Amino acid sequence: MKIRLLLLLMASYACTQAQTPAIFTSSDSAMQQAYEWAGSMVRHYQGNPADPVGPWYEAALPSRMAFCMRDVAHQTIGATIYGLDKENRNMIGAFARHISAKKDWCSYWEINKYGKPAPEDYRNDTAFWYNLNANFDILSACWRLYQWTGDTSYITDPVLTDFFEKTVNEYIRQWALQPDSLLTRPTHPNAPSPFNQQDNFHVCRGLPSYVENIADLKMGVDLIATIYRGLLSYSAILKARGNAAKAAQLEQTAARYQQQIEGVWWNEQQARYYTWYNGDGKFGNGEGAVFLLWFDAMKDSTRSRATIAQLTAGTWNVETTSYLPVILFKQGYWQKAREYILQLTDPATPRREYPEVSFAVLEAIVRGLMGIEPDAAAKRITTLYRGRSGSRAALKNLQVLHTTIAVSHTPQETVLRNTGNNTFLWKAAFAGAHRTIRINNIIMPARQEVDNNGNMISYVEVMVKGNKTLDAKIGK
């Protein structure tokens, strides 16, 4: 009895131990309140590491006590910002381990805290719910996590490597997802026999989109965008592992999917992308365009701006809306991004408690507003304050690239402290056209770039050693 009580106390202690979240403060009280609310929700959704599945957080409908592939792929950066790295590694690994030939190289779409496929989405290996974007989305998430954390296990772990290889080879062949098969593939490849049109676990066993309300769906443009980014992610992984030849081949294959998006799916008359194609050979519009931007699958800036205008003029469910702040910050629509953060965290917003929302808000504030972008492959961290004029903001205890940093911003000054031991390249960026930027009062010539909305950005690059603080300023 004493041993059992001790084990229960240890499990409870492990569950309630404080994580090491990044702490955000700002003179913009609305943004600080948004971050604090999001952090409290992330803590609420952290699972008990003593559960059979291991360390986890909720990434599905909360009543299910589970995590699904799309939501996890979207929530991982917010999770690592809040210190949930063990959870990320465990959940990503669980998805990778459960792909199988019997499921046509699918995994379990949703896994619950018991380490089992959630019964809401799975009956057996021939009858289950699965959106085909999922494998490529998890693959891309692994690359993003490596870029953010510097943790090479995301790109070298044998289980993940097997998942990557199966996804870009067997999975594509099994589901007829080659670039020249996207519009001619069967509507229900690998259908169970006998096939029951009234059984969702038959009809939705391999949905070719994240958008689930289109009858007789043959292909969604979001799936093509996800494949494109998944292949580019694996190409980058292979390059980082020294396999340049295979990386180049994958990059060429990825380009064929992007060409399909631009050449087949753009509706010139309506100046927008079609989002779905059905079994009757008809294109149509609906949700899904957000993934063209999320996966950076457009090359034409005029078309991407038109897509942003379409999205910001529409009303979307909270899942789709949660993608918008990071996208809009990156694309140069900074005030609009702030408005969406406030909308997502407004108590009057329906379903704001859906887990994706809080994780997305953390990411939007750190990556978007604070402009912090680690790049493990380049051993570089970018900063760019996108806050309002006259405001200030600071972030401390942010763990990136095997070190910990603190960043404080005003529109004219950024102070970066490397509180860890690792050295990295700092790309200190500022809004506006500036000829020079001062680093610790040393004047350096600045370079310029322009974002998709025409905002001029000036920057310099400088090495930051361990336990050092650098001060970047513009102006006299």
Side-chain angles (χ1 to χ4, degrees), residues 267-308:
N267 182 337
E268 189 68 44
Q269 185 176 3
Q270 296 183 9
R272 61 189 297 179
Y273 289 94
Y274 294 114
T275 60
W276 55 262
Y277 181 80
N278 68 14
D280 290 333
K282 295 180 180 178
F283 286 97
N285 292 105
E287 295 188 27
V290 68
F291 291 102
L292 292 168
L293 292 159
W294 179 255
F295 291 115
D296 198 14
M298 291 179 283
K299 301 298 184 185
D300 188 318
S301 59
T302 301
R303 293 183 180 184
S304 62
R305 287 193 292 270
T307 303
I308 290 170

Side-chain angles (χ1 to χ4, degrees), residues 69-123:
M69 296 180 79
R70 181 189 67 85
D71 296 41
V72 168
H74 187 200
Q75 292 176 214
T76 49
I77 299 301
T80 194
I81 287 168
Y82 224 71
L84 305 185
D85 293 299
K86 290 181 180 178
E87 287 80 357
N88 275 339
R89 285 192 293 270
N90 181 53
M91 294 156 69
I92 292 281
F95 289 132
R97 285 193 303 274
H98 284 107
I99 61 167
S100 68
K102 289 183 178 179
K103 297 193 297 293
D104 299 299
W105 303 112
C106 296
S107 180
Y108 296 136
W109 169 249
E110 193 169 341
I111 298 173
N112 61 27
K113 69 176 186 177
Y114 304 105
K116 304 293 185 182
E120 294 88 350
D121 291 310
Y122 176 88
R123 186 182 307 137

Side-chain angles (χ1 to χ4, degrees), residues 156-186:
T156 61
D157 179 87
V159 172
L160 294 180
T161 297
D162 182 64
F163 175 82
F164 302 155
E165 282 291 320
K166 292 294 193 301
T167 293
V168 303
N169 293 297
E170 286 89 338
Y171 187 75
I172 285 178
R173 289 194 296 269
Q174 194 74 13
W175 291 97
L177 295 175
Q178 299 89 341
D180 56 359
S181 300
L182 297 174
L183 302 185
T184 59
R185 63 192 295 275

Side-chain angles (χ1 to χ4, degrees), residues 149-160:
T149 66
D151 183 351
T152 57
S153 70
Y154 284 115
I155 63 173
T156 61
D157 179 87
V159 172
L160 294 180

Side-chain angles (χ1 to χ4, degrees), residues 37 318 321-322 325 340-346 349 352 357 361:
W37 172 84
V318 76
T321 305
S322 70
Y340 273 110
I341 290 175
L342 297 181
Q343 176 185 325
L344 286 166
T345 57
D346 188 333
T349 296
R352 74 165 183 160
V357 173
V361 167

Side-chain angles (χ1 to χ4, degrees), residues 225-258:
T226 317
I227 297 172
Y228 165 72
R229 182 51 53 188
L231 294 180
L232 281 187
S233 296
Y234 193 36
S235 173
I237 288 170
L238 290 169
K239 192 178 298 182
R241 289 180 357 205
N243 193 339
K246 189 173 179 180
Q249 291 175 356
L250 269 178
E251 192 171 342
Q252 292 172 4
T253 303
R256 295 177 61 195
Y257 290 93
Q258 203 280 327

Side-chain angles (χ1 to χ4, degrees), residues 160-471:
L160 294 180
T161 297
D162 182 64
F163 175 82
F164 302 155
E165 282 291 320
K166 292 294 193 301
T167 293
V168 303
N169 293 297
E170 286 89 338
Y171 187 75
I172 285 178
R173 289 194 296 269
Q174 194 74 13
W175 291 97
L177 295 175
Q178 299 89 341
D180 56 359
S181 300
L182 297 174
L183 302 185
T184 59
R185 63 192 295 275
T187 304
H188 299 289
N190 310 308
S193 180
F195 180 73
N196 183 357
Q197 188 71 44
Q198 306 307 313
D199 188 337
N200 278 343
F201 285 0
H202 286 199
V203 175
C204 301
R205 188 186 186 273
L207 279 170
S209 175
Y210 276 148
V211 181
E212 301 165 347
N213 59 357
I214 305 298
D216 197 29
L217 181 67
K218 187 180 284 285
M219 182 54 56
V221 74
D222 61 300
L223 174 55
I224 306 173
T226 317
I227 297 172
Y228 165 72
R229 182 51 53 188
L231 294 180
L232 281 187
S233 296
Y234 193 36
S235 173
I237 288 170
L238 290 169
K239 192 178 298 182
R241 289 180 357 205
N243 193 339
K246 189 173 179 180
Q249 291 175 356
L250 269 178
E251 192 171 342
Q252 292 172 4
T253 303
R256 295 177 61 195
Y257 290 93
Q258 203 280 327
Q259 290 160 8
Q260 287 279 324
I261 292 171
E262 301 293 3
V264 176
W265 289 78
W266 177 252
N267 182 337
E268 189 68 44
Q269 185 176 3
Q270 296 183 9
R272 61 189 297 179
Y273 289 94
Y274 294 114
T275 60
W276 55 262
Y277 181 80
N278 68 14
D280 290 333
K282 295 180 180 178
F283 286 97
N285 292 105
E287 295 188 27
V290 68
F291 291 102
L292 292 168
L293 292 159
W294 179 255
F295 291 115
D296 198 14
M298 291 179 283
K299 301 298 184 185
D300 188 318
S301 59
T302 301
R303 293 183 180 184
S304 62
R305 287 193 292 270
T307 303
I308 290 170
Q310 170 201 340
L311 288 167
T312 54
T315 301
W316 313 100
N317 62 33
V318 76
E319 293 93 333
T320 295
T321 305
S322 70
Y323 284 86
L324 292 176
V326 163
I327 289 171
L328 292 170
F329 273 125
K330 179 181 177 182
Q331 295 287 332
Y333 299 77
W334 301 351
Q335 177 58 32
K336 196 68 179 175
R338 181 181 183 275
E339 291 171 9
Y340 273 110
I341 290 175
L342 297 181
Q343 176 185 325
L344 286 166
T345 57
D346 188 333
T349 296
R351 298 179 63 240
R352 74 165 183 160
E353 294 83 8
Y354 192 79
E356 266 187 291
V357 173
S358 49
F359 288 80
V361 167
L362 294 182
E363 181 177 1
I365 289 175
V366 174
R367 283 188 64 208
L369 180 71
M370 299 294 285
I372 297 173
E373 202 70 65
D375 182 343
K379 297 182 180 178
R380 178 180 63 224
I381 297 173
T382 299
T383 62
L384 169 63
Y385 188 43
R386 298 184 176 107
R388 295 190 296 178
S389 175
S391 67
R392 55 179 172 76
L395 194 72
K396 64 180 181 179
N397 199 37
L398 181 65
Q399 298 179 42
V400 291
L401 304 189
H402 298 298
T403 192
T404 305
I405 63 171
V407 177
S408 62
H409 282 309
T410 70
Q412 294 79 33
E413 180 178 15
T414 296
V415 178
L416 183 146
R417 182 184 179 196
N418 180 8
T419 60
N421 295 319
N422 281 10
T423 298
F424 57 82
L425 183 67
W426 179 26
K427 181 179 178 181
F430 292 89
H434 307 285
R435 294 179 60 188
T436 61
I437 294 173
R438 286 183 292 164
I439 301 292
N440 285 10
N441 288 320
I442 298 174
I443 298 174
M444 299 180 63
R447 287 176 279 179
Q448 281 76 40
E449 58 191 19
V450 181
D451 69 22
N452 200 37
N453 198 31
N455 298 308
M456 182 69 74
I457 308 298
S458 302
Y459 68 93
V460 296
E461 293 182 327
V462 59
M463 298 301 297
V464 184
K465 295 181 179 180
N467 298 303
K468 294 294 182 181
T469 299
L470 293 185
D471 180 8

